[in-house]
Amino acid sequence: MDLTRLYADPSLVLTVSELNRATRALLEQTYPLLWVRGEISNLKRYESGHWYFALKDRDAQVRCVMFRHRNQYLDWQPEDGALVEVRALVTLFEARGEFQLNVETMRRAGLGALYEAFERLKRQLEREGLLDPARKRSIPVFPRQVGIVTSPQAAALRDVLATLRRRLPSLPVIIYPTPVQGEGAAQQIAAALRLAGERAECDVLILCRGGGSMEDLWAFNEEVVARAIAACPIPVVAGVGHETDFTIADFVADRRAPTPTAAAELVSPSRIDLLARVETLARRLRRGAARRIEMRMQQLDYLARRLTHPGERLQAQSVRLAELSRRLHGAHRRALEGKARWVEQLGMRLQRARPDIGALLKAQQMWRGRLARAVTQVLSRTERELDRLAAHLAHLNPQHVLERGYSIVRKQDGVIVRKADQLAVGEPLWLTFASGWARSRVEDKGDPR
């Protein structure tokens, strides 16, 4: 439901579903995930695995739901009356129009200070670059010896040793015993890490312990442990708690494993996988060797076929030489015969192409006579045409007109005057006669009648 429609049209009528849906959207968009402290009341666990309860203080309460995929990661069971802190999303249950919190995680009240200390140390180490992935070292694929930093009484140690024995029984293991919980545990863990680094007996270290509450795992959130891990010259794999547990040691270590068993799998190659790999390589080696032997055998057979007695080779060369001599003589003979035929054909073509001198002389005499007659005719026609053109030209000669008393009148710029309109009074004129010329001036002019 778009709330802008309500502001634009106050008379708009909503259904209950539209109202609840709009309210839920408004609540979820307005409030981020937040922490709420209160006392659990009326806790109900359904067969579906979901938890429904109320969270209350002295003056108010709010309904809460924690779905199975959220509460299954809690390592403790809340009860009515427990004071807790929940991280939840503020929302509305549309079907009943009830305001509620969708809980994502829950912790016992009082752990807030620990979380603040955890985040503060994490930010400090991050600023110093101890959490930078670039500084972390790779875990050796085939370690010669593995060290385990944990308590000898820890169940996690038995799980790690069982996993290492199963995956690679021949891998030597050194245990650096240390308490992993309680007063002074962090200092002793750091001391065990420094001892392992000084003795340099192992190629990789496993720092592990089983699951527990945040207080139980707090030794692995201490700064002294984090700095000991960062300063250790041996790569460290941290396997602390369960998959959902995160400690400062996990962030500083070269690799984090979700569980101690997973840490053991990270540092040890699988004997079964190695044997399968070796068997695969052995099969490839056998196939490759067999192919190389077969190729060499085939090459040997080929060379054996080429290897013959020198006498046989000389005899074969003699036969080859005789064959080439025969082919050479035959080719020479065929070449001579072909040249002879070619010369004969050229003689015949030359004979056919030889000219008839007598016929050519007769034709020459005939063409000479015809040429002389044609020249005479052309000259006669040209002379008559020339006379005609001369008479016509003489008829058109302006000199004859001038001899009859006419003259040519030109203006000063040489333009011939044909009309009186072309002249102005007082304008000078040049007159050309049949013999000679004269200069005159216009005294008067008039229109033709």
Side-chain angles (χ1 to χ4, degrees):
M1 176 64 191
D2 190 355
L3 295 181
T4 57
R5 293 173 54 196
L6 293 175
Y7 295 112
D9 185 7
S11 63
L12 182 64
V13 178
L14 303 179
T15 64
V16 175
S17 298
E18 290 175 336
L19 175 62
N20 287 355
R21 190 177 305 114
T23 305
R24 179 184 63 80
L26 181 62
L27 288 172
E28 293 179 355
Q29 294 171 8
T30 303
Y31 291 94
L33 280 172
L34 45 79
W35 287 97
V36 180
R37 181 199 300 267
E39 178 184 331
I40 294 179
S41 174
N42 196 24
L43 174 62
K44 295 181 181 179
R45 298 181 176 89
Y46 286 81
E47 294 182 358
S48 61
H50 308 323
W51 296 351
Y52 295 89
F53 57 93
L55 200 63
K56 66 179 184 178
D57 58 16
R58 187 176 59 183
D59 300 320
Q61 69 176 8
V62 61
R63 296 182 61 84
C64 302
V65 58
M66 191 172 188
F67 295 107
R68 181 179 63 182
H69 67 279
R70 300 290 186 183
N71 61 47
Q72 64 181 346
Y73 295 112
L74 287 183
D75 55 0
W76 59 282
Q77 292 294 322
E79 300 293 341
D80 283 344
L83 187 62
V84 297
E85 295 173 352
V86 298
R87 184 173 174 83
L89 175 69
V90 178
T91 185
L92 185 82
F93 182 44
E94 293 183 27
R96 301 181 60 178
E98 293 180 348
F99 176 80
Q100 69 178 26
L101 300 180
N102 282 1
V103 179
E104 293 196 352
T105 186
M106 179 187 299
R107 67 192 183 195
R108 296 183 180 92
L111 296 182
L114 294 180
Y115 277 103
E116 291 178 4
F118 176 92
E119 291 295 334
R120 184 167 55 252
L121 178 58
K122 181 181 176 184
R123 289 193 296 270
Q124 176 185 344
L125 298 177
E126 190 170 11
R127 286 194 299 270
E128 296 179 13
L130 296 187
L131 309 188
D132 187 1
R135 61 161 288 278
K136 299 189 178 184
R137 296 158 293 188
S138 60
I139 306 303
V141 180
F142 297 102
R144 292 171 297 177
Q145 194 157 256
V146 173
I148 304 175
V149 179
T150 190
S151 171
Q153 290 78 33
L157 177 60
R158 293 191 294 273
D159 294 339
V160 170
L161 292 177
T163 301
L164 294 177
R165 190 181 306 111
R166 171 176 53 84
R167 289 177 62 83
L168 196 63
S170 61
L171 182 62
V173 176
I174 296 179
I175 300 174
Y176 299 92
T178 177
V180 293
Q181 182 178 343
E183 186 71 24
Q187 288 73 20
Q188 297 186 59
I189 293 172
L193 288 170
R194 286 193 293 270
L195 177 62
E198 292 169 359
R199 294 174 61 174
E201 301 167 306
C202 305
D203 295 328
V204 64
L205 293 177
I206 298 176
L207 177 63
C208 64
R209 72 146 286 163
S213 65
M214 190 171 189
E215 296 96 328
D216 296 337
L217 302 179
W218 191 252
F220 296 90
N221 291 322
E222 295 284 354
E223 183 177 359
V224 63
V225 174
R227 297 197 180 279
I229 294 173
C232 184
I234 303 173
V236 178
V237 176
V240 179
H242 299 307
E243 186 172 356
T244 57
D245 297 323
F246 282 88
T247 65
I248 295 297
D250 292 324
F251 294 108
V252 181
D254 297 288
R255 288 287 296 275
R256 176 197 178 258
T259 62
T261 301
E265 292 177 349
L266 275 175
V267 303
S268 61
S270 172
R271 178 177 177 272
I272 296 176
D273 295 341
L274 291 177
L275 291 176
R277 177 64 175 166
V278 170
E279 179 59 28
T280 300
L281 293 175
R283 286 197 301 270
R284 292 174 59 184
L285 181 61
R286 287 193 295 269
R287 287 197 299 268
R291 286 195 296 270
R292 294 291 297 273
I293 292 173
E294 291 170 357
M295 183 181 67
R296 295 301 183 187
M297 292 172 60
Q298 186 176 3
Q299 188 177 10
L300 182 61
D301 292 340
Y302 172 72
L303 294 175
R305 288 195 300 270
R306 295 182 58 188
L307 185 62
T308 57
H309 192 276
E312 295 179 357
R313 297 187 64 182
L314 288 174
Q315 183 178 1
Q317 293 292 337
S318 299
V319 173
R320 176 65 175 167
L321 182 60
E323 173 65 17
L324 291 176
S325 177
R326 184 183 62 78
R327 292 173 60 185
L328 179 61
H329 289 301
H332 182 64
R333 184 179 65 255
R334 287 193 297 272
L336 289 178
E337 292 175 353
K339 293 296 183 182
R341 287 195 297 272
W342 181 65
V343 170
E344 182 179 357
Q345 291 174 359
L346 287 179
M348 295 174 61
R349 291 173 60 188
L350 183 60
Q351 183 69 25
R352 289 195 298 269
R354 187 175 62 182
D356 186 353
I357 303 300
L360 291 176
L361 289 175
K362 291 181 180 179
Q364 180 183 10
Q365 292 296 330
M366 179 189 68
W367 286 110
R368 183 181 297 167
R370 293 181 61 183
L371 179 60
R373 291 193 297 273
V375 169
T376 301
Q377 293 174 359
V378 170
L379 290 176
S380 177
R381 285 198 300 272
T382 303
E383 185 178 359
R384 290 196 298 271
E385 181 65 20
L386 183 60
D387 292 340
R388 186 182 65 80
L389 291 176
H392 185 62
L393 183 61
H395 177 71
L396 297 176
N397 190 352
Q399 185 66 27
H400 294 170
V401 178
L402 295 177
E403 290 177 353
R404 292 200 298 270
Y406 294 98
S407 62
I408 299 175
V409 180
R410 290 184 177 89
K411 299 175 70 172
Q412 190 174 2
D413 55 5
V415 176
I416 296 176
V417 179
R418 293 180 175 83
K419 297 180 180 179
D421 295 342
Q422 295 179 252
L423 300 175
V425 176
E427 182 179 2
L429 299 175
W430 278 264
L431 305 178
T432 302
F433 305 103
S435 177
W437 59 278
R439 182 176 180 182
S440 64
R441 184 177 302 275
V442 179
E443 297 295 338
D444 193 7
K445 67 176 184 175
D447 295 330
R449 289 184 173 83

